[in-house]
PDB file of all heavy atoms in Angstrom:
ATOM      1  N   MET A 119      15.370   7.092  -0.372  1.00 97.00           N
ATOM      2  CA  MET A 119      15.180   8.196  -1.318  1.00 97.00           C
ATOM      3  C   MET A 119      16.468   8.496  -2.071  1.00 97.00           C
ATOM      4  O   MET A 119      17.563   8.257  -1.566  1.00 97.00           O
ATOM      5  CB  MET A 119      14.726   9.460  -0.572  1.00 97.00           C
ATOM      6  CG  MET A 119      13.411   9.303   0.164  1.00 97.00           C
ATOM      7  SD  MET A 119      12.915  10.847   1.001  1.00 97.00           S
ATOM      8  CE  MET A 119      11.419  10.297   1.833  1.00 97.00           C
ATOM      9  N   GLU A 120      16.319   9.032  -3.271  1.00 96.00           N
ATOM     10  CA  GLU A 120      17.478   9.463  -4.063  1.00 96.00           C
ATOM     11  C   GLU A 120      17.968  10.822  -3.549  1.00 96.00           C
ATOM     12  O   GLU A 120      17.216  11.546  -2.878  1.00 96.00           O
ATOM     13  CB  GLU A 120      17.095   9.565  -5.538  1.00 96.00           C
ATOM     14  CG  GLU A 120      16.687   8.247  -6.182  1.00 96.00           C
ATOM     15  CD  GLU A 120      17.859   7.340  -6.497  1.00 96.00           C
ATOM     16  OE1 GLU A 120      18.993   7.662  -6.080  1.00 96.00           O
ATOM     17  OE2 GLU A 120      17.643   6.302  -7.148  1.00 96.00           O
ATOM     18  N   PRO A 121      19.212  11.204  -3.874  1.00 95.00           N
ATOM     19  CA  PRO A 121      19.761  12.477  -3.379  1.00 95.00           C
ATOM     20  C   PRO A 121      19.231  13.682  -4.147  1.00 95.00           C
ATOM     21  O   PRO A 121      19.945  14.337  -4.907  1.00 95.00           O
ATOM     22  CB  PRO A 121      21.276  12.303  -3.586  1.00 95.00           C
ATOM     23  CG  PRO A 121      21.390  11.361  -4.731  1.00 95.00           C
ATOM     24  CD  PRO A 121      20.228  10.410  -4.600  1.00 95.00           C
ATOM     25  N   ASP A 122      17.940  13.985  -3.956  1.00 95.00           N
ATOM     26  CA  ASP A 122      17.284  15.070  -4.688  1.00 95.00           C
ATOM     27  C   ASP A 122      17.000  16.292  -3.816  1.00 95.00           C
ATOM     28  O   ASP A 122      16.328  17.216  -4.260  1.00 95.00           O
ATOM     29  CB  ASP A 122      15.962  14.569  -5.278  1.00 95.00           C
ATOM     30  CG  ASP A 122      16.168  13.469  -6.313  1.00 95.00           C
ATOM     31  OD1 ASP A 122      17.266  13.425  -6.905  1.00 95.00           O
ATOM     32  OD2 ASP A 122      15.244  12.665  -6.521  1.00 95.00           O
ATOM     33  N   MET A 123      17.484  16.285  -2.573  1.00 95.00           N
ATOM     34  CA  MET A 123      17.234  17.401  -1.656  1.00 95.00           C
ATOM     35  C   MET A 123      18.543  18.106  -1.338  1.00 95.00           C
ATOM     36  O   MET A 123      19.605  17.475  -1.324  1.00 95.00           O
ATOM     37  CB  MET A 123      16.562  16.885  -0.377  1.00 95.00           C
ATOM     38  CG  MET A 123      15.172  16.323  -0.638  1.00 95.00           C
ATOM     39  SD  MET A 123      14.528  15.301   0.705  1.00 95.00           S
ATOM     40  CE  MET A 123      15.448  13.788   0.467  1.00 95.00           C
ATOM     41  N   CYS A 124      18.451  19.404  -1.071  1.00 94.00           N
ATOM     42  CA  CYS A 124      19.689  20.174  -0.941  1.00 94.00           C
ATOM     43  C   CYS A 124      19.849  20.878   0.412  1.00 94.00           C
ATOM     44  O   CYS A 124      20.826  21.582   0.614  1.00 94.00           O
ATOM     45  CB  CYS A 124      19.788  21.204  -2.063  1.00 94.00           C
ATOM     46  SG  CYS A 124      18.492  22.458  -2.029  1.00 94.00           S
ATOM     47  N   CYS A 125      18.903  20.710   1.339  1.00 95.00           N
ATOM     48  CA  CYS A 125      19.039  21.376   2.638  1.00 95.00           C
ATOM     49  C   CYS A 125      18.151  20.674   3.662  1.00 95.00           C
ATOM     50  O   CYS A 125      17.308  19.839   3.314  1.00 95.00           O
ATOM     51  CB  CYS A 125      18.661  22.857   2.538  1.00 95.00           C
ATOM     52  SG  CYS A 125      16.925  23.147   2.108  1.00 95.00           S
ATOM     53  N   GLY A 126      18.351  21.041   4.914  1.00 96.00           N
ATOM     54  CA  GLY A 126      17.585  20.430   5.985  1.00 96.00           C
ATOM     55  C   GLY A 126      16.103  20.706   5.891  1.00 96.00           C
ATOM     56  O   GLY A 126      15.273  19.855   6.220  1.00 96.00           O
ATOM     57  N   LYS A 127      15.747  21.897   5.418  1.00 95.00           N
ATOM     58  CA  LYS A 127      14.341  22.275   5.309  1.00 95.00           C
ATOM     59  C   LYS A 127      13.607  21.367   4.330  1.00 95.00           C
ATOM     60  O   LYS A 127      12.478  20.927   4.583  1.00 95.00           O
ATOM     61  CB  LYS A 127      14.243  23.736   4.880  1.00 95.00           C
ATOM     62  CG  LYS A 127      12.847  24.320   4.936  1.00 95.00           C
ATOM     63  CD  LYS A 127      12.894  25.810   4.590  1.00 95.00           C
ATOM     64  CE  LYS A 127      11.529  26.445   4.723  1.00 95.00           C
ATOM     65  NZ  LYS A 127      11.562  27.899   4.398  1.00 95.00           N
ATOM     66  N   GLU A 128      14.248  21.065   3.203  1.00 96.00           N
ATOM     67  CA  GLU A 128      13.640  20.183   2.214  1.00 96.00           C
ATOM     68  C   GLU A 128      13.519  18.767   2.764  1.00 96.00           C
ATOM     69  O   GLU A 128      12.501  18.098   2.566  1.00 96.00           O
ATOM     70  CB  GLU A 128      14.465  20.189   0.919  1.00 96.00           C
ATOM     71  CG  GLU A 128      14.361  21.486   0.133  1.00 96.00           C
ATOM     72  CD  GLU A 128      15.018  21.381  -1.233  1.00 96.00           C
ATOM     73  OE1 GLU A 128      15.397  20.259  -1.640  1.00 96.00           O
ATOM     74  OE2 GLU A 128      15.160  22.424  -1.892  1.00 96.00           O
ATOM     75  N   ALA A 129      14.558  18.294   3.449  1.00 97.00           N
ATOM     76  CA  ALA A 129      14.522  16.943   4.014  1.00 97.00           C
ATOM     77  C   ALA A 129      13.388  16.811   5.019  1.00 97.00           C
ATOM     78  O   ALA A 129      12.635  15.828   5.010  1.00 97.00           O
ATOM     79  CB  ALA A 129      15.862  16.622   4.667  1.00 97.00           C
ATOM     80  N   ALA A 130      13.241  17.807   5.890  1.00 96.00           N
ATOM     81  CA  ALA A 130      12.185  17.768   6.909  1.00 96.00           C
ATOM     82  C   ALA A 130      10.802  17.811   6.264  1.00 96.00           C
ATOM     83  O   ALA A 130       9.877  17.100   6.693  1.00 96.00           O
ATOM     84  CB  ALA A 130      12.347  18.929   7.877  1.00 96.00           C
ATOM     85  N   ALA A 131      10.637  18.627   5.211  1.00 95.00           N
ATOM     86  CA  ALA A 131       9.342  18.733   4.531  1.00 95.00           C
ATOM     87  C   ALA A 131       8.983  17.418   3.841  1.00 95.00           C
ATOM     88  O   ALA A 131       7.832  16.984   3.868  1.00 95.00           O
ATOM     89  CB  ALA A 131       9.366  19.873   3.519  1.00 95.00           C
ATOM     90  N   ALA A 132       9.980  16.769   3.221  1.00 97.00           N
ATOM     91  CA  ALA A 132       9.732  15.500   2.538  1.00 97.00           C
ATOM     92  C   ALA A 132       9.351  14.410   3.533  1.00 97.00           C
ATOM     93  O   ALA A 132       8.411  13.642   3.302  1.00 97.00           O
ATOM     94  CB  ALA A 132      10.966  15.080   1.738  1.00 97.00           C
ATOM     95  N   VAL A 133      10.068  14.349   4.651  1.00 97.00           N
ATOM     96  CA  VAL A 133       9.765  13.322   5.654  1.00 97.00           C
ATOM     97  C   VAL A 133       8.413  13.592   6.305  1.00 97.00           C
ATOM     98  O   VAL A 133       7.671  12.667   6.624  1.00 97.00           O
ATOM     99  CB  VAL A 133      10.892  13.259   6.712  1.00 97.00           C
ATOM    100  CG1 VAL A 133      10.496  12.337   7.870  1.00 97.00           C
ATOM    101  CG2 VAL A 133      12.182  12.766   6.077  1.00 97.00           C
ATOM    102  N   ARG A 134       8.071  14.859   6.508  1.00 95.00           N
ATOM    103  CA  ARG A 134       6.750  15.180   7.076  1.00 95.00           C
ATOM    104  C   ARG A 134       5.640  14.711   6.147  1.00 95.00           C
ATOM    105  O   ARG A 134       4.629  14.148   6.597  1.00 95.00           O
ATOM    106  CB  ARG A 134       6.639  16.690   7.320  1.00 95.00           C
ATOM    107  CG  ARG A 134       5.268  17.145   7.829  1.00 95.00           C
ATOM    108  CD  ARG A 134       4.822  16.375   9.061  1.00 95.00           C
ATOM    109  NE  ARG A 134       3.536  16.826   9.573  1.00 95.00           N
ATOM    110  CZ  ARG A 134       2.729  16.087  10.322  1.00 95.00           C
ATOM    111  NH1 ARG A 134       3.068  14.851  10.644  1.00 95.00           N
ATOM    112  NH2 ARG A 134       1.585  16.573  10.757  1.00 95.00           N
ATOM    113  N   GLU A 135       5.803  14.909   4.838  1.00 96.00           N
ATOM    114  CA  GLU A 135       4.789  14.450   3.889  1.00 96.00           C
ATOM    115  C   GLU A 135       4.700  12.922   3.905  1.00 96.00           C
ATOM    116  O   GLU A 135       3.603  12.356   3.876  1.00 96.00           O
ATOM    117  CB  GLU A 135       5.120  14.943   2.477  1.00 96.00           C
ATOM    118  CG  GLU A 135       4.046  14.665   1.442  1.00 96.00           C
ATOM    119  CD  GLU A 135       2.794  15.506   1.629  1.00 96.00           C
ATOM    120  OE1 GLU A 135       2.810  16.453   2.456  1.00 96.00           O
ATOM    121  OE2 GLU A 135       1.782  15.222   0.953  1.00 96.00           O
ATOM    122  N   LEU A 136       5.853  12.263   3.978  1.00 97.00           N
ATOM    123  CA  LEU A 136       5.866  10.804   4.078  1.00 97.00           C
ATOM    124  C   LEU A 136       5.160  10.352   5.349  1.00 97.00           C
ATOM    125  O   LEU A 136       4.376   9.392   5.337  1.00 97.00           O
ATOM    126  CB  LEU A 136       7.312  10.293   4.072  1.00 97.00           C
ATOM    127  CG  LEU A 136       7.492   8.789   4.299  1.00 97.00           C
ATOM    128  CD1 LEU A 136       6.819   7.987   3.181  1.00 97.00           C
ATOM    129  CD2 LEU A 136       8.973   8.437   4.390  1.00 97.00           C
ATOM    130  N   GLN A 137       5.412  11.053   6.448  1.00 96.00           N
ATOM    131  CA  GLN A 137       4.778  10.733   7.726  1.00 96.00           C
ATOM    132  C   GLN A 137       3.248  10.830   7.619  1.00 96.00           C
ATOM    133  O   GLN A 137       2.525   9.945   8.085  1.00 96.00           O
ATOM    134  CB  GLN A 137       5.298  11.692   8.802  1.00 96.00           C
ATOM    135  CG  GLN A 137       4.794  11.413  10.200  1.00 96.00           C
ATOM    136  CD  GLN A 137       5.328  12.421  11.199  1.00 96.00           C
ATOM    137  OE1 GLN A 137       5.430  13.623  10.894  1.00 96.00           O
ATOM    138  NE2 GLN A 137       5.687  11.967  12.385  1.00 96.00           N
ATOM    139  N   LEU A 138       2.756  11.886   6.981  1.00 95.00           N
ATOM    140  CA  LEU A 138       1.314  12.054   6.796  1.00 95.00           C
ATOM    141  C   LEU A 138       0.722  10.939   5.938  1.00 95.00           C
ATOM    142  O   LEU A 138      -0.373  10.448   6.205  1.00 95.00           O
ATOM    143  CB  LEU A 138       1.016  13.414   6.164  1.00 95.00           C
ATOM    144  CG  LEU A 138       1.222  14.649   7.041  1.00 95.00           C
ATOM    145  CD1 LEU A 138       1.082  15.916   6.213  1.00 95.00           C
ATOM    146  CD2 LEU A 138       0.238  14.663   8.204  1.00 95.00           C
ATOM    147  N   ILE A 139       1.461  10.538   4.907  1.00 96.00           N
ATOM    148  CA  ILE A 139       0.993   9.460   4.033  1.00 96.00           C
ATOM    149  C   ILE A 139       0.902   8.149   4.807  1.00 96.00           C
ATOM    150  O   ILE A 139      -0.090   7.421   4.710  1.00 96.00           O
ATOM    151  CB  ILE A 139       1.930   9.319   2.813  1.00 96.00           C
ATOM    152  CG1 ILE A 139       1.759  10.522   1.869  1.00 96.00           C
ATOM    153  CG2 ILE A 139       1.654   8.018   2.058  1.00 96.00           C
ATOM    154  CD1 ILE A 139       2.750  10.566   0.733  1.00 96.00           C
ATOM    155  N   LEU A 140       1.930   7.835   5.591  1.00 96.00           N
ATOM    156  CA  LEU A 140       1.938   6.599   6.377  1.00 96.00           C
ATOM    157  C   LEU A 140       0.778   6.578   7.366  1.00 96.00           C
ATOM    158  O   LEU A 140       0.119   5.547   7.564  1.00 96.00           O
ATOM    159  CB  LEU A 140       3.268   6.462   7.124  1.00 96.00           C
ATOM    160  CG  LEU A 140       4.518   6.270   6.265  1.00 96.00           C
ATOM    161  CD1 LEU A 140       5.766   6.292   7.137  1.00 96.00           C
ATOM    162  CD2 LEU A 140       4.451   4.976   5.470  1.00 96.00           C
ATOM    163  N   GLN A 141       0.516   7.718   7.996  1.00 94.00           N
ATOM    164  CA  GLN A 141      -0.581   7.808   8.964  1.00 94.00           C
ATOM    165  C   GLN A 141      -1.936   7.694   8.274  1.00 94.00           C
ATOM    166  O   GLN A 141      -2.867   7.076   8.795  1.00 94.00           O
ATOM    167  CB  GLN A 141      -0.479   9.121   9.741  1.00 94.00           C
ATOM    168  CG  GLN A 141       0.718   9.167  10.685  1.00 94.00           C
ATOM    169  CD  GLN A 141       0.990  10.550  11.245  1.00 94.00           C
ATOM    170  OE1 GLN A 141       0.482  11.556  10.732  1.00 94.00           O
ATOM    171  NE2 GLN A 141       1.795  10.622  12.289  1.00 94.00           N
TER     172      GLN A 141
END
Side-chain angles (χ1 to χ4, degrees):
M119 299 181 183
E120 296 284 8
D122 296 335
M123 295 164 284
C124 64
C125 64
K127 189 176 184 180
E128 289 188 9
V133 172
R134 176 53 178 157
E135 187 70 10
L136 175 62
Q137 184 181 39
L138 289 172
I139 289 173
L140 294 174
Q141 291 168 344

